[in-house]
Amino acid sequence: MRVLLVMLMLATSALAERTVTFAWDATPDADSYTLYVNGAPVGTTAATEIIVQIPDARTAVNVTASNIAGESEKSATLVVPPAPTIPKGFRISKIVRTTTATPK
């Protein structure tokens, strides 16, 4: 089962979480899917897409398919990297003076 990172929205840095939409290809005979973040189940859906909150850190994500017979093995692990840090040292490094000619 292939897991795709569809959308990533950064939450405010104070929350230290991100809202992410994950999507995957449907599995024949599956009634539901469970998403695992860092090994723990965080949501179950009958759809092939789910929106969840994940930590703003390196995060391992897997999905399983289930039906009345049980749950599949976990998919390949998708590793979501942390968001980049806020740039520091933002400053003006150089100002070039420009002049505009005055018409005569």
Side-chain angles (χ1 to χ4, degrees), residues 22-104:
F22 293 95
W24 52 89
D25 297 336
T27 299
D29 301 321
D31 295 327
S32 65
Y33 302 92
T34 301
L35 193 77
Y36 290 83
V37 173
N38 294 331
V42 295
T44 299
T45 181
T48 56
E49 181 175 289
I50 192 169
I51 299 171
V52 296
Q53 294 286 318
I54 65 169
D56 191 9
R58 187 174 175 89
T59 304
V61 182
N62 305 87
V63 65
T64 61
S66 298
N67 64 17
I68 196 165
E71 185 176 23
S72 72
E73 291 184 27
K74 290 181 181 175
S75 68
T77 300
L78 176 66
V79 177
V80 182
T85 59
I86 297 170
K88 296 189 181 348
F90 181 57
R91 64 192 175 282
I92 296 172
S93 65
K94 184 177 183 179
I95 296 176
V96 177
R97 183 175 179 162
T98 59
T99 57
T100 305
T102 306
K104 293 183 181 184

